[in-house]
């Protein structure tokens, strides 16, 4: 299976549109002769078009340079990741490798032919002075057919896809095309063919609840969009998916009472389970990079023994195990069941009618709880037997919950809310750095014990442990200052509205 990142822009033009001369745009010195291609693609989706609604497009295409199965992830007109898989003759069922990648988007439901797109393409390559292909420009005559309703459409479209060019080239070509009368197209061909069915509106939420629901739905969509990358262990995808899970859990807690209590309380531990599958992968990736960088930063004469090799071997094994467990979880019925029930909760009617004041009170309550947790942790006021590090970690989690609650109001409030979000993030980062130091020191201690048992020199582990402890002390001195900045009256006065 091949994976490519597609960077393109789409345009439409009327019958009189003619492709302008594009030489001079972003280093283009010449244009190749035109090549004609006939493309025929059948798009598959669930009965309720979950793939298309989630920014996924699954097709089996014949003709062109890359015939076969394609799964595209992302919005049209921006960067999209495309997974390509060859198709055999008469192969009407997508390969298992692709099914695993869109399992979250389909919620585990079967897919069937939803639309057929036939395209007569006239393709040209934009070349620089050295003959490099900077981009490909395609003029498409398209016919779209909704295979369920029978609706047909025909249109013309221009696609500009980067090869070795950059965004400056896209911007230059954009200006030239608009000047010739082309108009940007924000949707893919398959979306256009399915437009009538995709236009069916969901239940409109009450205005007071809309900010909360919009926020939660956005996090659900982030979770779904990053599923394919997480399957492959892509660091950013695992991180973004994990954060989306945290935001969903936090939102269900902060605004509990908005939904059916039984259903929301069922979802919260299920989301915690999902986060627990993502956590070991992400934590291992972060810790491996953190310790590798720490060892590299030390002078060679202070690195005694096979420290780097031990760290590399240990975390490579841990990551492989964690990824296997994550893939099993993401391929389970428990996971798709969680997603389906999350859909039902967020897309269905709320359990009560609320107004903006109710939402504002919940946000203030989350902030008050976070403030109290942090003050008690910094004052050493925590339960008997609980370590200061544990209290600080709990304060950090409360601070995250508060930050996510403020983010709910950010679209409506604007800059004042964004400023508070930034201040809370600064505070969260400092508390996070402290927690990272706590965890790193424990990892170093265990690594030193293993090295000692094998008769190796443990000096470097002790040195790194001491450096982590010193860094934690510096971070904690900055926490109080960050706390005060996050509580300034001018930063929080909008909360009373």
């Amino acid at each position: 299976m091949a994976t490519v990142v597609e960077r393109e822009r789409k345009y439409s033009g009327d019958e009189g549109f003619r492709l302008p001369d594009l030489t001079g745009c972003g280093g283009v010195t010449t244009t190749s002769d035109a090549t004609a291609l006939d493309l025929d693609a059948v798009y598959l989706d669930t009965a309720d078009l979950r793939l298309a609604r989630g920014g996924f497009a699954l097709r089996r295409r014949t003709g062109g340079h890359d015939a076969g199965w394609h799964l595209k992830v992302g919005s049209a007109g921006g960067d999209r990741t495309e997974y390509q898989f060859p198709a055999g003759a008469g192969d009407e069922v997508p390969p298992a490798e692709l099914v695993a990648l869109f399992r979250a988007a389909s919620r585990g439901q079967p897919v069937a032919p939803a639309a057929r797109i036939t395209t007569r393409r006239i393709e040209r390559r934009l070349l620089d002075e050295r003959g490099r292909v900077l981009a490909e420009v395609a003029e498409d005559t398209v016919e779209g057919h909704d295979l369920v309703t029978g609706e047909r459409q025909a249109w013309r479209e221009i696609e500009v896809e980067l090869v070795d060019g950059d965004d400056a080239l896209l911007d230059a070509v954009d200006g030239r095309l608009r000047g010739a009368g082309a108009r940007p197209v924000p949707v893919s061909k398959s979306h256009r063919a399915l437009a009538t069915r995709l236009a069916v509106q969901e239940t409109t939420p009450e205005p007071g609840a809309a900010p909360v629901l919009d926020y939660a739905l956005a996090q659900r969509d982030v979770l779904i969009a990053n599923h394919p990358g997480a399957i492959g262990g892509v660091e950013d995808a695992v991180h973004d998916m994990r954060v989306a899970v945290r935001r969903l859990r936090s939102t269900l807690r902060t605004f509990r009472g908005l939904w059916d209590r039984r259903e929301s309380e069922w979802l919260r531990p299920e989301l915690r389970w999902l986060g627990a599958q993502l956590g070991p992968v992400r934590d291992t990736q972060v810790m491996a990079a953190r310790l590798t960088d720490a060892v590299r930063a030390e002078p060679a004469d202070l690195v005694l023994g096979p420290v780097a090799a031990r760290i590399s071997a240990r975390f490579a094994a841990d990551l492989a195990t964690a990824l296997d467990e994550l893939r099993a979880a993401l391929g389970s019925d428990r996971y798709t069941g969680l997603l389906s029930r999350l859909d039902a909760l967020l897309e269905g009617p709320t359990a009560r009618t609320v107004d903006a004041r109710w939402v504002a009170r919940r946000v203030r309550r989350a902030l008050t709880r976070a403030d109290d947790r942090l003050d008690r942790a910094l004052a050493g006021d925590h339960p008997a037997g609980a370590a200061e590090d544990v209290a600080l970690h709990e304060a950090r989690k409360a601070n995250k919950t508060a930050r996510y609650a403020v983010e709910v109001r950010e679209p409506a409030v604007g800059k004042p809310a964004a400023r508070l979000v930034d201040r809370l993030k600064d505070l969260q980062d400092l508390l996070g750095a402290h927690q990272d130091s706590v965890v790193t020191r424990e990892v170093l201690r265990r690594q030193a014990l293993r090295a000692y048992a094998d008769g190796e020199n443990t000096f470097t582990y002790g040195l790194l442990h001491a450096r982590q402890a010193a860094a934690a002390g510096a971070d904690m001195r900055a926490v109080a200052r960050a706390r005060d900045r996050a509580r300034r009256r001018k930063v929080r006065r909008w909360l009373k509205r």
Side-chain angles (χ1 to χ4, degrees):
M1 180 171 60
T3 304
V4 298
V5 177
E6 179 184 80
R7 300 168 64 193
E8 68 177 16
R9 296 186 189 178
K10 296 174 177 287
Y11 303 86
S12 64
D14 56 29
E15 285 297 324
F17 177 81
R18 295 291 180 271
L19 190 70
D21 179 13
L22 297 176
T23 57
C25 293
V28 175
T29 59
T30 185
T31 303
S32 72
D33 293 336
T35 301
L37 300 169
D38 289 309
L39 311 176
D40 190 343
V42 173
Y43 287 79
L44 290 80
D45 210 324
T46 62
D48 55 356
L49 302 179
R50 277 289 178 189
L51 296 188
R53 295 182 193 280
F56 285 65
L58 171 67
R59 72 186 180 198
R60 186 183 187 280
R61 189 168 78 178
T62 58
H65 312 298
D66 56 355
W69 287 101
H70 302 157
L71 176 68
K72 294 189 177 188
V73 183
S75 301
D79 292 358
R80 305 178 81 187
T81 301
E82 180 175 315
Y83 303 89
Q84 302 173 348
F85 203 91
D91 182 5
E92 302 299 328
V93 178
E97 290 89 340
L98 284 187
V99 173
L101 297 181
F102 66 75
R103 180 176 174 81
S106 69
R107 312 310 194 260
Q109 298 302 307
V111 295
R116 182 180 183 185
I117 306 291
T118 55
T119 304
R120 176 65 172 178
R121 169 165 291 181
I122 305 299
E123 186 175 87
R124 296 175 176 84
R125 295 181 172 184
L126 305 183
L127 311 173
D128 67 8
E129 60 184 4
R130 292 184 292 166
R132 286 190 311 152
V133 180
L134 301 180
E136 294 178 342
V137 178
E139 295 181 88
D140 293 341
T141 302
V142 187
E143 181 176 323
H145 180 198
D146 187 320
L147 298 176
V148 174
T149 67
E151 181 180 0
R152 293 179 181 271
Q153 302 178 57
W155 66 91
R156 295 184 65 208
E157 190 169 291
I158 301 96
E159 288 188 6
V160 184
E161 182 175 351
L162 286 182
V163 180
D164 287 332
D166 55 21
D167 288 340
L169 169 62
L170 284 179
D171 291 341
V173 171
D174 177 84
R176 195 76 59 91
L177 291 177
R178 288 177 187 246
R183 300 177 300 278
V185 175
V187 297
S188 65
K189 291 181 176 68
S190 58
H191 268 69
R192 190 160 179 171
L194 297 167
T196 300
R197 282 198 284 156
L198 287 170
V200 175
Q201 295 295 311
E202 313 293 346
T203 302
T204 302
E206 294 290 335
V212 181
L213 293 175
D214 288 347
Y215 183 80
L217 285 167
Q219 302 315 311
R220 190 255 338 245
D221 293 346
V222 169
L223 191 160
I224 300 299
N226 282 285
H227 169 96
I231 287 283
V234 177
E235 293 189 14
D236 287 346
V238 175
H239 170 73
D240 290 348
M241 194 173 181
R242 187 186 190 188
V243 172
V245 169
R246 286 173 172 167
R247 284 186 164 117
L248 283 166
R249 285 183 58 205
S250 178
T251 302
L252 291 178
R253 176 185 177 184
T254 300
F255 302 99
R256 59 184 179 273
L258 181 59
W259 299 280
D260 175 79
R261 180 61 65 90
R262 179 180 299 177
E263 193 64 12
S264 64
E265 291 303 307
W266 181 89
L267 279 165
R268 283 176 56 200
E270 287 300 287
L271 287 166
R272 184 184 303 114
W273 164 79
L274 179 55
Q277 312 310 307
L278 294 158
V281 176
R282 182 58 184 159
D283 290 344
T284 301
Q285 290 170 336
V286 170
M287 187 59 66
R290 183 182 179 91
L291 286 180
T292 298
D293 290 344
V295 174
R296 287 175 178 168
E298 294 296 333
D301 60 340
L302 296 183
V303 180
L304 307 183
V307 180
R310 263 193 178 274
I311 288 172
S312 177
R314 182 265 173 90
F315 286 111
D318 288 353
L319 182 58
T321 299
L323 272 173
D324 285 345
E325 293 175 353
L326 175 61
R327 289 172 181 140
L330 298 184
S332 70
D333 291 340
R334 181 177 183 178
Y335 173 56
T336 51
L338 159 62
L339 296 176
S340 295
R341 290 179 72 165
L342 184 62
D343 291 336
L345 186 79
L346 300 181
E347 295 174 359
T350 56
R352 61 184 294 182
T353 299
V354 301
D355 58 17
R357 290 177 298 176
W358 183 88
V359 174
R361 285 197 300 272
R362 294 283 174 159
V363 173
R364 290 195 297 269
R365 188 178 303 173
L367 275 166
T368 299
R369 185 185 304 113
D371 291 346
D372 181 61
R373 285 266 180 101
L374 180 57
D375 287 345
R376 286 190 286 114
L378 292 178
D381 180 14
H382 39 77
E388 178 184 11
D389 293 336
V390 173
L392 288 168
H393 184 48
E394 291 301 314
R396 178 198 180 199
K397 291 193 291 186
N399 186 77
K400 281 185 181 179
T401 297
R403 174 188 158 200
Y404 299 154
V406 174
E407 287 176 349
V408 169
R409 296 200 64 195
E410 188 174 345
V413 175
K415 288 184 178 180
R419 185 181 301 114
L420 179 54
V421 167
D422 289 343
R423 299 289 175 87
L424 292 172
K425 186 177 185 304
D426 290 342
L427 182 56
Q428 174 189 319
D429 288 346
L430 287 168
L431 290 168
H434 176 80
Q435 178 63 17
D436 288 346
S437 171
V438 172
V439 175
T440 303
R441 278 177 276 163
E442 177 59 20
V443 170
L444 287 167
R445 188 184 72 83
R446 293 180 181 178
Q447 286 291 104
L449 290 173
R450 292 191 183 101
Y452 179 78
D454 289 342
E456 296 173 8
N457 192 309
T458 61
F459 168 83
T460 303
Y461 297 106
L463 175 64
L464 295 175
H465 190 286
R467 296 207 193 285
Q468 289 294 321
D475 290 334
M476 289 310 302
R477 288 191 292 274
V479 165
R481 295 193 296 271
R483 174 194 60 182
D484 294 342
R485 292 180 69 246
R487 295 186 190 178
R488 288 176 182 170
R489 183 175 300 177
K490 66 179 181 180
V491 175
R492 295 200 180 193
R493 59 189 172 200
W494 64 271
L495 288 164
K496 297 179 181 179
R497 300 200 297 268

